[in-house]
């Protein structure tokens, strides 16, 4: 009999990759496409290296968690490294913005794609949880991970009230390219602090690779937009007539109808009358107009200078 020959070979061991902790950022955002859930926030996640889907678990207490969402790819995250100048909403900006990314990349787009919702991102107002929606037309790579963004649109999707002030360098930047995912929980949980555990979907939520967060959200997607074209004029009887045009957060881009959809259960506006920083009167109006009568002006002390503020009112979140 011939002897059996065995070839000597070095043992092979599979490479072990220890799961890294996930960076997660909650984003309480307005409606962007109309397909989002109005009251729930988005979650942007990233980890290095990326090693598969990330699970987000939620619970009213630090126990008994249920799966709320799963992110299949990392988000493009970074920060601004230059100041973003104030701008009039809906108008192309001449100035640029420098952004440094922690991961991912950016690319340019044509005007039509941008106006149809492409190249949308959010930047966070310092020391707040308010996120301004911005868009950009051109993304030029100027150094590894750093881009110059031009053809900017500030104050999109009803965040125009944030575009009146400059945004400082160091503000968080998140690209809305479909990577951030929305949580799944009932509207009754809006405004209530909940517990979240975020980590690799391949492991249980009590694993050391999971991060623990506690957060509550206002449901910015329910917030009405600010009215436009606010005007005031003196009437023949001495009163002041105030008028404005409402906007809609739902299906407001179509030109086929006679008017934009109301987007709320009822039409109602909150009107404030202010003089030299002092609130004189606050009242509600069921129509897009209001009359400040001469008698009311005299009752308020007959101030020489007046300012008017108007906000649309939602039954669920109050004034926008």
């Amino acid at each position: 009999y011939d002897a059996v020959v065995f070839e000597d070979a070095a043992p092979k061991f599979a490479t072990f990759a220890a799961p890294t902790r996930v960076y997660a950022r909650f984003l309480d955002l307005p409606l962007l496409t109309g397909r989002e859930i109005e009251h729930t926030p988005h979650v942007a996640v990233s980890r290095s290296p990326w090693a598969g889907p990330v699970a987000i678990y939620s619970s009213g207490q630090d126990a008994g968690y249920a799966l709320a969402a799963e992110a299949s790819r990392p988000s493009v995250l970074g920060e601004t490294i230059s100041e973003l100048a104030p701008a009039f909403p809906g108008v192309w900006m001449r100035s640029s913005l420098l952004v440094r990314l922690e991961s991912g990349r950016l690319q340019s787009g044509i005007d039509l794609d941008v106006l149809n919702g492409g190249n949308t991102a959010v930047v966070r107002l310092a020391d707040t949880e308010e996120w301004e929606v911005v868009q950009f037309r051109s993304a030029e790579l100027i150094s590894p991970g750093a881009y110059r963004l031009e053809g900017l649109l500030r104050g999109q999707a009803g965040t125009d009230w944030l575009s009146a002030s400059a945004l400082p360098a160091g503000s968080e930047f998140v690209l809305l390219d479909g990577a951030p995912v929305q949580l799944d929980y009932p509207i009754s949980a809006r405004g209530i602090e909940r517990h979240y555990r975020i980590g690799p979907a391949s492991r249980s939520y009590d694993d050391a690779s999971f991060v623990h967060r506690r957060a509550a959200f206002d449901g910015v997607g329910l917030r009405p937009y600010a009215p436009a074209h606010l005007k005031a004029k003196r009437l023949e009887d001495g009163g002041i007539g105030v008028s404005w045009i409402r906007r809609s957060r739902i299906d407001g881009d179509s030109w086929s109808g006679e008017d934009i959809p109301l987007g709320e259960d009822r039409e109602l506006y909150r009107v404030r009358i202010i003089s030299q920083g002092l609130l004189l009167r606050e009242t509600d109006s069921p129509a897009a107009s209001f009359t400040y009568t001469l008698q009311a002006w005299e009752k308020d002390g007959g101030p020489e200078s007046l300012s008017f503020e108007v906000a649309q009112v939602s039954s669920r979140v109050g004034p926008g």
Side-chain angles (χ1 to χ4, degrees):
Y1 295 93
D2 293 333
V4 178
V5 178
F6 294 94
E7 295 183 2
D8 292 334
K12 297 181 179 180
F13 298 96
T15 303
F16 174 73
T20 56
R21 292 174 69 84
V22 174
Y23 174 80
R25 198 69 176 90
F26 291 107
L27 314 169
D28 202 356
L29 302 179
L31 295 179
L32 299 170
T33 66
R35 297 189 298 269
E36 300 93 347
I37 305 173
E38 295 177 311
H39 61 277
T40 63
H42 292 71
V43 183
V45 299
S46 180
R47 59 189 294 209
S48 182
W50 182 259
V54 169
I56 301 102
Y57 293 90
S58 172
S59 176
Q61 56 184 341
D62 193 16
Y65 287 87
L67 183 66
E70 185 172 291
S72 60
R73 57 191 176 97
S75 294
V76 178
L77 307 174
E79 66 175 8
T80 62
I81 53 177
S82 69
E83 183 179 88
L84 182 58
F88 192 80
V91 177
W92 297 106
M93 296 180 63
R94 295 182 181 273
S95 57
S96 61
L97 173 67
L98 302 182
V99 175
R100 178 180 290 113
L101 300 183
E102 297 295 334
S103 60
R105 61 186 180 89
L106 304 176
Q107 62 183 11
S108 301
I110 62 175
D111 289 6
L112 185 59
D113 288 343
V114 175
L115 295 176
N116 283 330
N119 281 3
T120 301
V122 288
V123 287
R124 186 173 68 89
L125 191 66
D127 301 324
T128 72
E129 288 302 321
E130 296 290 350
W131 294 85
E132 180 184 351
V133 181
V134 300
Q135 291 181 273
F136 58 91
R137 180 172 49 199
S138 171
E140 178 189 1
L141 185 66
I142 57 176
S143 65
Y147 290 82
R148 176 184 289 108
L149 306 183
E150 295 180 327
L152 293 159
L153 292 172
R154 287 197 65 178
Q156 300 293 82
T159 60
D160 47 291
W161 60 283
L162 295 170
S163 65
S165 58
L167 195 72
S171 301
E172 290 186 72
F173 175 94
V174 181
L175 183 67
L176 301 181
D177 60 348
V181 294
Q182 274 197 294
L183 299 182
D184 180 18
Y185 65 71
I187 192 171
S188 58
R190 183 176 62 88
I192 300 176
E193 185 179 76
R194 295 178 63 84
H195 293 256
Y196 299 92
R197 288 191 176 270
I198 306 164
S202 59
R203 295 180 175 250
S204 61
Y205 61 76
D206 58 352
D207 189 83
S209 59
F210 273 70
V211 295
H212 178 225
R213 296 283 188 271
R214 297 169 60 182
F217 307 100
D218 296 329
V220 172
L222 296 169
R223 181 189 295 166
Y225 287 5
H229 305 296
L230 179 61
K231 299 179 180 178
K233 64 178 182 179
R234 183 72 65 177
L235 304 177
E236 293 182 358
D237 60 3
I240 299 175
V242 184
S243 63
W244 56 89
I245 296 177
R246 65 175 172 84
R247 298 160 66 199
S248 178
R249 61 188 175 86
I250 300 175
D251 297 333
D253 289 334
S254 175
W255 292 82
S256 59
E258 295 182 358
D259 199 355
I260 61 172
L262 179 61
E264 304 297 336
D265 298 334
R266 55 173 179 166
E267 187 170 9
L268 187 67
Y269 304 92
R270 182 71 45 83
V271 181
R272 290 177 177 172
I273 304 172
I274 300 170
S275 177
Q276 298 179 353
L278 179 66
L279 179 63
L280 301 179
R281 186 180 293 261
E282 184 176 274
T283 185
D284 291 343
S285 173
S289 62
F290 172 76
T291 300
Y292 187 42
T293 64
L294 181 61
Q295 294 77 11
W297 176 75
E298 292 175 345
K299 188 175 181 180
D300 292 338
E304 295 182 358
S305 63
L306 294 170
S307 297
F308 295 90
E309 295 181 353
V310 179
Q312 189 174 2
V313 179
S314 165
S315 300
R316 290 178 286 185
V317 300

PDB file of all heavy atoms in Angstrom, residues 10-32:
ATOM      1  N   ALA A  10      -0.288  26.289   6.436  1.00  0.00           N
ATOM      2  CA  ALA A  10      -0.482  27.144   7.612  1.00  0.00           C
ATOM      3  C   ALA A  10      -1.979  27.302   7.887  1.00  0.00           C
ATOM      4  O   ALA A  10      -2.779  27.419   6.962  1.00  0.00           O
ATOM      5  CB  ALA A  10       0.165  28.511   7.370  1.00  0.00           C
ATOM      6  N   PRO A  11      -2.360  27.237   9.142  1.00  0.00           N
ATOM      7  CA  PRO A  11      -3.794  27.404   9.456  1.00  0.00           C
ATOM      8  C   PRO A  11      -4.277  28.799   9.074  1.00  0.00           C
ATOM      9  O   PRO A  11      -3.547  29.784   9.173  1.00  0.00           O
ATOM     10  CB  PRO A  11      -3.840  27.190  10.974  1.00  0.00           C
ATOM     11  CG  PRO A  11      -2.462  27.511  11.445  1.00  0.00           C
ATOM     12  CD  PRO A  11      -1.533  27.098  10.348  1.00  0.00           C
ATOM     13  N   LYS A  12      -5.522  28.875   8.615  1.00  0.00           N
ATOM     14  CA  LYS A  12      -6.128  30.136   8.229  1.00  0.00           C
ATOM     15  C   LYS A  12      -7.188  30.530   9.247  1.00  0.00           C
ATOM     16  O   LYS A  12      -8.040  29.723   9.612  1.00  0.00           O
ATOM     17  CB  LYS A  12      -6.756  30.030   6.843  1.00  0.00           C
ATOM     18  CG  LYS A  12      -5.725  29.744   5.740  1.00  0.00           C
ATOM     19  CD  LYS A  12      -6.409  29.666   4.377  1.00  0.00           C
ATOM     20  CE  LYS A  12      -5.387  29.403   3.276  1.00  0.00           C
ATOM     21  NZ  LYS A  12      -6.028  29.321   1.939  1.00  0.00           N
ATOM     22  N   PHE A  13      -7.103  31.755   9.681  1.00  0.00           N
ATOM     23  CA  PHE A  13      -8.066  32.266  10.648  1.00  0.00           C
ATOM     24  C   PHE A  13      -8.834  33.425  10.020  1.00  0.00           C
ATOM     25  O   PHE A  13      -8.257  34.277   9.324  1.00  0.00           O
ATOM     26  CB  PHE A  13      -7.366  32.762  11.921  1.00  0.00           C
ATOM     27  CG  PHE A  13      -6.614  31.682  12.643  1.00  0.00           C
ATOM     28  CD1 PHE A  13      -5.250  31.510  12.445  1.00  0.00           C
ATOM     29  CD2 PHE A  13      -7.280  30.822  13.493  1.00  0.00           C
ATOM     30  CE1 PHE A  13      -4.571  30.511  13.102  1.00  0.00           C
ATOM     31  CE2 PHE A  13      -6.599  29.818  14.158  1.00  0.00           C
ATOM     32  CZ  PHE A  13      -5.241  29.658  13.964  1.00  0.00           C
ATOM     33  N   ALA A  14     -10.141  33.464  10.243  1.00  0.00           N
ATOM     34  CA  ALA A  14     -10.955  34.563   9.718  1.00  0.00           C
ATOM     35  C   ALA A  14     -10.606  35.858  10.453  1.00  0.00           C
ATOM     36  O   ALA A  14     -10.380  35.866  11.670  1.00  0.00           O
ATOM     37  CB  ALA A  14     -12.438  34.250   9.893  1.00  0.00           C
ATOM     38  N   THR A  15     -10.577  36.943   9.700  1.00  0.00           N
ATOM     39  CA  THR A  15     -10.289  38.248  10.295  1.00  0.00           C
ATOM     40  C   THR A  15     -11.455  38.695  11.169  1.00  0.00           C
ATOM     41  O   THR A  15     -12.620  38.659  10.745  1.00  0.00           O
ATOM     42  CB  THR A  15     -10.041  39.294   9.186  1.00  0.00           C
ATOM     43  OG1 THR A  15      -8.973  38.841   8.373  1.00  0.00           O
ATOM     44  CG2 THR A  15      -9.689  40.640   9.782  1.00  0.00           C
ATOM     45  N   PHE A  16     -11.138  39.109  12.375  1.00  0.00           N
ATOM     46  CA  PHE A  16     -12.177  39.560  13.299  1.00  0.00           C
ATOM     47  C   PHE A  16     -12.218  41.083  13.310  1.00  0.00           C
ATOM     48  O   PHE A  16     -11.200  41.734  13.530  1.00  0.00           O
ATOM     49  CB  PHE A  16     -11.906  39.052  14.719  1.00  0.00           C
ATOM     50  CG  PHE A  16     -12.873  39.597  15.737  1.00  0.00           C
ATOM     51  CD1 PHE A  16     -14.177  39.152  15.787  1.00  0.00           C
ATOM     52  CD2 PHE A  16     -12.468  40.580  16.632  1.00  0.00           C
ATOM     53  CE1 PHE A  16     -15.064  39.667  16.723  1.00  0.00           C
ATOM     54  CE2 PHE A  16     -13.345  41.090  17.567  1.00  0.00           C
ATOM     55  CZ  PHE A  16     -14.651  40.632  17.616  1.00  0.00           C
ATOM     56  N   ALA A  17     -13.396  41.630  13.026  1.00  0.00           N
ATOM     57  CA  ALA A  17     -13.587  43.095  13.052  1.00  0.00           C
ATOM     58  C   ALA A  17     -14.494  43.433  14.226  1.00  0.00           C
ATOM     59  O   ALA A  17     -15.687  43.111  14.225  1.00  0.00           O
ATOM     60  CB  ALA A  17     -14.202  43.583  11.743  1.00  0.00           C
ATOM     61  N   ALA A  18     -13.911  44.050  15.238  1.00  0.00           N
ATOM     62  CA  ALA A  18     -14.700  44.427  16.408  1.00  0.00           C
ATOM     63  C   ALA A  18     -15.701  45.514  16.020  1.00  0.00           C
ATOM     64  O   ALA A  18     -15.348  46.453  15.312  1.00  0.00           O
ATOM     65  CB  ALA A  18     -13.786  44.948  17.510  1.00  0.00           C
ATOM     66  N   PRO A  19     -16.951  45.385  16.420  1.00  0.00           N
ATOM     67  CA  PRO A  19     -17.949  46.387  16.061  1.00  0.00           C
ATOM     68  C   PRO A  19     -17.634  47.741  16.718  1.00  0.00           C
ATOM     69  O   PRO A  19     -17.380  47.817  17.915  1.00  0.00           O
ATOM     70  CB  PRO A  19     -19.260  45.800  16.594  1.00  0.00           C
ATOM     71  CG  PRO A  19     -18.844  44.857  17.683  1.00  0.00           C
ATOM     72  CD  PRO A  19     -17.505  44.318  17.263  1.00  0.00           C
ATOM     73  N   THR A  20     -17.618  48.783  15.904  1.00  0.00           N
ATOM     74  CA  THR A  20     -17.356  50.132  16.416  1.00  0.00           C
ATOM     75  C   THR A  20     -18.670  50.805  16.790  1.00  0.00           C
ATOM     76  O   THR A  20     -19.734  50.471  16.261  1.00  0.00           O
ATOM     77  CB  THR A  20     -16.633  50.969  15.358  1.00  0.00           C
ATOM     78  OG1 THR A  20     -17.412  50.972  14.154  1.00  0.00           O
ATOM     79  CG2 THR A  20     -15.267  50.383  15.054  1.00  0.00           C
ATOM     80  N   ARG A  21     -18.585  51.761  17.703  1.00  0.00           N
ATOM     81  CA  ARG A  21     -19.782  52.475  18.139  1.00  0.00           C
ATOM     82  C   ARG A  21     -20.270  53.390  17.016  1.00  0.00           C
ATOM     83  O   ARG A  21     -19.503  53.914  16.213  1.00  0.00           O
ATOM     84  CB  ARG A  21     -19.487  53.271  19.407  1.00  0.00           C
ATOM     85  CG  ARG A  21     -19.234  52.366  20.607  1.00  0.00           C
ATOM     86  CD  ARG A  21     -18.803  53.165  21.821  1.00  0.00           C
ATOM     87  NE  ARG A  21     -19.864  53.981  22.361  1.00  0.00           N
ATOM     88  CZ  ARG A  21     -20.784  53.558  23.210  1.00  0.00           C
ATOM     89  NH1 ARG A  21     -20.782  52.286  23.589  1.00  0.00           N
ATOM     90  NH2 ARG A  21     -21.694  54.361  23.703  1.00  0.00           N
ATOM     91  N   VAL A  22     -21.562  53.590  16.987  1.00  0.00           N
ATOM     92  CA  VAL A  22     -22.213  54.339  15.919  1.00  0.00           C
ATOM     93  C   VAL A  22     -22.391  55.794  16.353  1.00  0.00           C
ATOM     94  O   VAL A  22     -22.732  56.073  17.510  1.00  0.00           O
ATOM     95  CB  VAL A  22     -23.589  53.715  15.595  1.00  0.00           C
ATOM     96  CG1 VAL A  22     -24.355  54.557  14.582  1.00  0.00           C
ATOM     97  CG2 VAL A  22     -23.409  52.301  15.082  1.00  0.00           C
ATOM     98  N   TYR A  23     -22.134  56.713  15.409  1.00  0.00           N
ATOM     99  CA  TYR A  23     -22.494  58.118  15.651  1.00  0.00           C
ATOM    100  C   TYR A  23     -23.890  58.327  15.084  1.00  0.00           C
ATOM    101  O   TYR A  23     -24.168  57.979  13.928  1.00  0.00           O
ATOM    102  CB  TYR A  23     -21.514  59.068  14.960  1.00  0.00           C
ATOM    103  CG  TYR A  23     -21.946  60.509  15.065  1.00  0.00           C
ATOM    104  CD1 TYR A  23     -21.716  61.236  16.222  1.00  0.00           C
ATOM    105  CD2 TYR A  23     -22.603  61.133  14.015  1.00  0.00           C
ATOM    106  CE1 TYR A  23     -22.131  62.550  16.338  1.00  0.00           C
ATOM    107  CE2 TYR A  23     -23.017  62.451  14.114  1.00  0.00           C
ATOM    108  CZ  TYR A  23     -22.777  63.154  15.279  1.00  0.00           C
ATOM    109  OH  TYR A  23     -23.200  64.460  15.388  1.00  0.00           O
ATOM    110  N   ALA A  24     -24.786  58.876  15.883  1.00  0.00           N
ATOM    111  CA  ALA A  24     -26.170  59.081  15.466  1.00  0.00           C
ATOM    112  C   ALA A  24     -26.586  60.526  15.746  1.00  0.00           C
ATOM    113  O   ALA A  24     -26.240  61.091  16.788  1.00  0.00           O
ATOM    114  CB  ALA A  24     -27.104  58.125  16.208  1.00  0.00           C
ATOM    115  N   ARG A  25     -27.333  61.103  14.788  1.00  0.00           N
ATOM    116  CA  ARG A  25     -27.826  62.484  14.928  1.00  0.00           C
ATOM    117  C   ARG A  25     -29.301  62.502  14.605  1.00  0.00           C
ATOM    118  O   ARG A  25     -29.727  62.074  13.535  1.00  0.00           O
ATOM    119  CB  ARG A  25     -27.077  63.425  13.983  1.00  0.00           C
ATOM    120  CG  ARG A  25     -27.227  64.894  14.390  1.00  0.00           C
ATOM    121  CD  ARG A  25     -26.478  65.126  15.675  1.00  0.00           C
ATOM    122  NE  ARG A  25     -26.461  66.497  16.125  1.00  0.00           N
ATOM    123  CZ  ARG A  25     -27.359  67.071  16.924  1.00  0.00           C
ATOM    124  NH1 ARG A  25     -28.415  66.391  17.331  1.00  0.00           N
ATOM    125  NH2 ARG A  25     -27.206  68.297  17.330  1.00  0.00           N
ATOM    126  N   PHE A  26     -30.124  62.980  15.565  1.00  0.00           N
ATOM    127  CA  PHE A  26     -31.553  63.112  15.337  1.00  0.00           C
ATOM    128  C   PHE A  26     -31.832  64.423  14.613  1.00  0.00           C
ATOM    129  O   PHE A  26     -31.258  65.471  14.933  1.00  0.00           O
ATOM    130  CB  PHE A  26     -32.313  63.082  16.662  1.00  0.00           C
ATOM    131  CG  PHE A  26     -32.298  61.740  17.344  1.00  0.00           C
ATOM    132  CD1 PHE A  26     -31.535  61.527  18.474  1.00  0.00           C
ATOM    133  CD2 PHE A  26     -33.061  60.696  16.853  1.00  0.00           C
ATOM    134  CE1 PHE A  26     -31.517  60.295  19.107  1.00  0.00           C
ATOM    135  CE2 PHE A  26     -33.058  59.455  17.473  1.00  0.00           C
ATOM    136  CZ  PHE A  26     -32.280  59.252  18.606  1.00  0.00           C
ATOM    137  N   LEU A  27     -32.751  64.376  13.642  1.00  0.00           N
ATOM    138  CA  LEU A  27     -33.101  65.542  12.837  1.00  0.00           C
ATOM    139  C   LEU A  27     -34.615  65.708  12.846  1.00  0.00           C
ATOM    140  O   LEU A  27     -35.335  64.901  12.246  1.00  0.00           O
ATOM    141  CB  LEU A  27     -32.612  65.373  11.391  1.00  0.00           C
ATOM    142  CG  LEU A  27     -31.176  64.875  11.174  1.00  0.00           C
ATOM    143  CD1 LEU A  27     -30.963  64.518   9.709  1.00  0.00           C
ATOM    144  CD2 LEU A  27     -30.179  65.933  11.620  1.00  0.00           C
ATOM    145  N   ASP A  28     -35.105  66.737  13.519  1.00  0.00           N
ATOM    146  CA  ASP A  28     -36.534  67.050  13.514  1.00  0.00           C
ATOM    147  C   ASP A  28     -36.772  68.007  12.351  1.00  0.00           C
ATOM    148  O   ASP A  28     -36.501  69.207  12.454  1.00  0.00           O
ATOM    149  CB  ASP A  28     -36.936  67.679  14.849  1.00  0.00           C
ATOM    150  CG  ASP A  28     -38.423  67.538  15.122  1.00  0.00           C
ATOM    151  OD1 ASP A  28     -39.143  67.021  14.245  1.00  0.00           O
ATOM    152  OD2 ASP A  28     -38.881  67.964  16.207  1.00  0.00           O
ATOM    153  N   LEU A  29     -37.298  67.504  11.235  1.00  0.00           N
ATOM    154  CA  LEU A  29     -37.301  68.234   9.967  1.00  0.00           C
ATOM    155  C   LEU A  29     -38.717  68.505   9.469  1.00  0.00           C
ATOM    156  O   LEU A  29     -39.659  67.769   9.791  1.00  0.00           O
ATOM    157  CB  LEU A  29     -36.550  67.437   8.902  1.00  0.00           C
ATOM    158  CG  LEU A  29     -35.093  67.079   9.195  1.00  0.00           C
ATOM    159  CD1 LEU A  29     -34.513  66.275   8.047  1.00  0.00           C
ATOM    160  CD2 LEU A  29     -34.270  68.333   9.447  1.00  0.00           C
ATOM    161  N   PRO A  30     -38.863  69.542   8.642  1.00  0.00           N
ATOM    162  CA  PRO A  30     -40.150  69.772   7.967  1.00  0.00           C
ATOM    163  C   PRO A  30     -40.373  68.755   6.860  1.00  0.00           C
ATOM    164  O   PRO A  30     -39.473  67.974   6.526  1.00  0.00           O
ATOM    165  CB  PRO A  30     -39.993  71.198   7.402  1.00  0.00           C
ATOM    166  CG  PRO A  30     -38.525  71.345   7.187  1.00  0.00           C
ATOM    167  CD  PRO A  30     -37.869  70.582   8.307  1.00  0.00           C
ATOM    168  N   LEU A  31     -41.577  68.776   6.284  1.00  0.00           N
ATOM    169  CA  LEU A  31     -41.861  67.900   5.154  1.00  0.00           C
ATOM    170  C   LEU A  31     -41.035  68.347   3.952  1.00  0.00           C
ATOM    171  O   LEU A  31     -40.944  69.537   3.648  1.00  0.00           O
ATOM    172  CB  LEU A  31     -43.352  67.956   4.805  1.00  0.00           C
ATOM    173  CG  LEU A  31     -44.323  67.428   5.866  1.00  0.00           C
ATOM    174  CD1 LEU A  31     -45.753  67.572   5.373  1.00  0.00           C
ATOM    175  CD2 LEU A  31     -44.029  65.983   6.205  1.00  0.00           C
ATOM    176  N   LEU A  32     -40.434  67.377   3.267  1.00  0.00           N
ATOM    177  CA  LEU A  32     -39.586  67.688   2.111  1.00  0.00           C
ATOM    178  C   LEU A  32     -40.193  67.169   0.812  1.00  0.00           C
ATOM    179  O   LEU A  32     -40.283  67.901  -0.168  1.00  0.00           O
ATOM    180  CB  LEU A  32     -38.192  67.093   2.319  1.00  0.00           C
ATOM    181  CG  LEU A  32     -37.435  67.629   3.543  1.00  0.00           C
ATOM    182  CD1 LEU A  32     -36.187  66.812   3.795  1.00  0.00           C
ATOM    183  CD2 LEU A  32     -37.087  69.093   3.352  1.00  0.00           C
TER     184      LEU A  32
END
